[in-house]
């Protein structure tokens, strides 16, 4: 695999294990989201931001833009990171930041950074879902004389925003689609074997109430899960037991989901410890 393929595989794992939040956050109607993506925490972590920048740069640099930017907040982190990284390439480019509204004091700028007439501009963001921010960004750039030549995002929902921009002739590039992450409700797996049962371990919860409580966690090429038998178990992707750790037996065993910190598996058991 190429280096960027390895980075993409690792970033996908991070997105699914750490960035996807279930049943958290509120929508505009004050209803709890079924699922949301906390990409800000991804972009504020130096290692994860570098991985994101590396993968997005692959899509950006082929257009040889004069400048890149977007509307607050995630796009500002992405744009400045990409601009800095471009300084070490053959085609460095500037970054610009678009405010949601013009400043009412100081320079009164709507856009921070330089966009000159006929500048080739790429708009970047963490997510493309609805068209709102991108439409506003395009209008702001064009009012300043720039020409939007592409839109590059980390995750493309391939929804109304994507379709509207595509109909208007704007090229759209992404690192991931929602479908590729397996988060699209109507997605069809590209690999027909993706959702077939590969293996089963029947004694995870061999008690009176045998439903799972501890959610499995994937870290690199291993799966970790707790059981009602008071055991924390580690499997490989083929279902082979690599190791297990016994806590003192309790009928309710290990109901917590483990976390992985610096190659250590941390969990709580119901044994009073």
């Amino acid at each position: 695999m190429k280096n960027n393929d390895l980075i993409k595989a690792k970033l996908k794992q991070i997105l699914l294990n750490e960035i996807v939040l279930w049943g958290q956050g509120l929508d505009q109607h004050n209803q709890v989201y079924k699922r949301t993506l906390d990409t800000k925490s991804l972009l504020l972590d130096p290692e994860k931001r570098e991985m994101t920048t590396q993968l997005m740069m692959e899509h950006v640099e082929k257009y040889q833009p004069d400048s890149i930017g977007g509307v607050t907040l995630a796009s500002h982190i992405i744009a400045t990171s990409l601009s800095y990284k471009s300084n070490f390439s053959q085609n460095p480019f500037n970054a610009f930041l678009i405010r949601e509204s013009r400043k009412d004091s100081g320079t009164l700028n709507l856009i921070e950074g330089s966009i000159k007439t006929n500048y080739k501009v790429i708009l970047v963001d963490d997510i493309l879902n609805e068209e709102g921010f991108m439409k506003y960004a395009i209008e702001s750039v064009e009012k300043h004389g720039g020409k939007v030549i592409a839109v590059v995002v980390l995750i493309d929902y391939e929804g109304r925003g994507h379709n509207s921009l595509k109909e208007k002739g704007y090229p759209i590039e992404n690192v991931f689609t929602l479908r590729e992450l397996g988060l699209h409700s109507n997605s069809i797996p590209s690999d027909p074997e993706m959702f077939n049962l590969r293996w089963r371990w029947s004694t995870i919860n061999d008690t009176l109430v045998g439903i799972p409580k501890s959610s499995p966690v994937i870290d690199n090429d291993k799966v970790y899960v707790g059981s009602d038998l008071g055991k924390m178990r580690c499997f490989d992707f083929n279902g082979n037991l690599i190791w297990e750790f016994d806590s003192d037996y309790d009928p309710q065993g290990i109901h917590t989901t483990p976390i992985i910190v610096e190659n250590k598996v941390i969990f709580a058991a119901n044994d009073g410890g």
Side-chain angles (χ1 to χ4, degrees):
M1 296 177 69
K2 296 179 181 179
N3 186 48
N4 274 9
D5 292 335
L6 293 172
I7 294 173
K8 184 174 180 178
K10 184 175 181 181
L11 187 60
K12 181 178 180 179
Q13 180 185 38
I14 291 170
L15 287 169
L16 294 175
N17 282 341
E18 302 177 23
I19 306 305
V20 179
L21 304 179
W22 300 93
Q24 298 184 42
L26 300 176
D27 64 15
Q28 58 186 350
H29 304 296
N30 207 37
Q31 298 297 310
V32 176
Y33 278 119
K34 176 182 177 182
R35 179 200 63 235
T36 189
L37 302 176
D38 182 21
T39 53
K40 307 303 184 297
S41 65
L42 179 85
L43 296 171
L44 292 172
D45 179 284
E47 180 182 3
K48 297 166 188 172
R49 182 174 65 246
E50 171 60 24
M51 294 168 64
T52 302
T53 304
Q54 175 75 17
L55 295 174
M56 293 187 73
M57 180 64 83
E58 187 176 19
H59 296 274
V60 167
E61 59 186 0
K62 63 185 179 184
Y63 290 95
Q64 297 185 3
D66 297 307
S67 193
I68 66 169
V71 185
T72 58
L73 178 63
S75 66
H76 290 185
I77 304 172
I78 294 170
T80 52
S81 298
L82 285 166
S83 177
Y84 174 78
K85 195 173 187 66
S86 78
N87 191 49
F88 304 96
S89 70
Q90 295 181 347
N91 298 292
F93 47 79
N94 297 322
F96 63 88
L97 314 176
I98 304 175
R99 298 179 181 273
E100 290 191 56
S101 59
R102 189 181 299 275
K103 287 186 66 178
D104 57 7
S105 61
T107 59
L108 307 183
N109 288 338
L110 178 66
I111 296 180
E112 300 292 348
S114 175
I115 297 180
K116 298 180 180 179
T117 302
N118 294 324
Y119 251 29
K120 295 185 297 181
V121 170
I122 289 180
L123 295 174
V124 296
D125 212 342
D126 57 341
I127 290 172
L128 175 58
N129 186 8
E130 301 294 338
E131 185 189 11
F133 275 147
M134 281 299 174
K135 180 180 179 182
Y136 171 67
I138 290 169
E139 292 172 351
S140 301
V141 167
E142 291 179 346
K143 284 179 181 178
H144 283 73
K147 177 178 175 58
V148 176
I149 59 172
V151 171
V152 178
V153 298
L154 174 62
I155 302 171
D156 186 353
Y157 277 46
E158 296 183 303
R160 286 181 295 183
H162 173 102
N163 295 334
S164 178
L165 292 172
K166 192 172 182 179
E167 288 172 2
K168 294 173 182 176
Y170 295 104
I172 303 170
E173 303 262 350
N174 63 72
V175 178
F176 298 103
T177 65
L178 207 62
R179 188 183 304 272
E180 185 180 359
L181 293 173
L183 298 175
H184 193 286
S185 58
N186 298 318
S187 63
I188 300 174
S190 56
D191 177 2
E193 299 296 317
M194 182 179 295
F195 297 127
N196 285 349
L197 181 64
R198 300 293 179 89
W199 55 271
R200 181 196 303 271
W201 190 276
S202 62
T203 59
I204 289 288
N205 291 309
D206 190 14
T207 59
L208 291 176
V209 184
I211 61 173
K213 291 91 173 176
S214 172
S215 298
V217 169
I218 296 174
D219 184 60
N220 294 320
D221 58 352
K222 296 180 178 63
V223 180
Y224 303 89
V225 64
S227 81
D228 281 359
L229 302 177
K231 300 176 185 291
M232 177 58 61
R233 289 183 166 127
C234 173
F235 302 90
D236 64 20
F237 282 175
N238 294 315
N240 299 310
L241 180 65
I242 299 175
W243 55 259
E244 65 180 21
F245 177 86
D246 287 319
S247 65
D248 291 339
Y249 177 76
D250 182 276
Q252 297 188 44
I254 300 171
H255 288 188
T256 58
T257 297
I259 61 173
I260 314 299
V261 179
E262 296 181 349
N263 296 320
K264 295 181 176 65
V265 182
I266 302 174
F267 65 94
N270 203 45
D271 58 2

